Amino acid sequence: MIYFIADTHFGDERIRRYENRPFADAGAMDRELIRRWNETVSPEDTVYVLGDWGRMDPTALHGRKYLVRGNHDTLDNQAYREMGFAEVYDLPVILEGFWILSHEPLYVCENMPYANLFGHVHASPLYKTYSNQHYCVSAERTDYAPVSFDEIKRQIGA
């Protein structure tokens, strides 16, 4: 299966406070993110992290992981590969000729033959979680666990 998540911000106490995440501290947040990830994803699955990974060894998490860099992903691509990401992308990725994977939301309209999966906006009320052409996979919107591609397709009616 394929899964998506964004804005994990592992080890980031500031984002925990800034986004009012329901964890006592960054350590508790990390432990819960790891638990929920590994309960959801099997070792054979694929996970696209749509930016803002944080500081954590990805080998502790199930699945083959790909990173679409976000504004907080400041290491060079080789460093992320050495950590355990199968690949790292600086630009949006097009999956199955229809799904644009990006960190920040991209403009798509009803006349475009694409849908955008993104993060970056966390729980901002300015953005809906999904429509028929977008889906926000920020951790705050996915109950702090990766969401399956099948569930995304089901929810947006693709």
Side-chain angles (χ1 to χ4, degrees):
M1 289 188 74
I2 299 174
Y3 291 88
F4 298 90
I5 194 167
D7 305 306
T8 49
H9 289 275
F10 284 105
D12 190 340
E13 180 62 31
R14 292 170 303 151
I15 205 72
R16 184 197 64 81
R17 290 190 319 268
Y18 182 69
E19 291 296 329
N20 297 312
R21 289 185 172 184
F23 309 105
D25 55 38
M29 176 180 75
D30 290 357
R31 287 187 297 279
E32 190 61 19
L33 283 164
I34 293 165
R35 184 187 70 75
R36 293 180 191 198
W37 180 305
N38 286 339
E39 283 182 354
T40 303
V41 176
S42 78
E44 298 79 31
D45 292 332
T46 296
V47 182
Y48 286 91
V49 177
L50 302 186
D52 292 356
W53 171 254
R55 302 289 180 188
M56 205 246 181
D57 177 2
T59 60
L61 300 167
H62 292 165
R64 183 175 174 87
K65 291 160 282 299
Y66 295 86
L67 176 63
V68 176
R69 291 174 65 110
N71 55 304
H72 289 275
D73 298 315
T74 58
L75 303 177
D76 66 46
N77 290 359
Q78 188 57 33
Y80 288 109
R81 287 186 199 100
E82 288 170 5
M83 271 187 216
F85 283 97
E87 191 52 81
V88 181
Y89 304 97
D90 294 318
L91 300 172
V93 172
I94 297 180
L95 185 65
E96 297 181 357
F98 178 73
W99 306 92
I100 304 172
L101 313 180
S102 62
H103 176 60
E104 295 184 25
L106 301 175
Y107 174 75
V108 291
C109 74
E110 63 187 23
N111 299 317
M112 295 177 175
Y114 300 105
N116 181 211
L117 306 183
F118 61 88
H120 186 66
V121 299
H122 294 266
S124 170
L126 298 176
Y127 293 85
K128 294 179 181 178
T129 299
Y130 64 90
S131 74
N132 63 350
Q133 283 188 282
H134 87 272
Y135 199 105
C136 180
V137 297
S138 289
E140 292 84 0
R141 309 236 185 176
T142 65
D143 199 28
Y144 303 96
V147 62
S148 77
F149 202 15
D150 291 343
E151 180 63 14
I152 290 169
K153 290 176 181 178
R154 186 190 69 72
Q155 288 188 334
I156 73 170

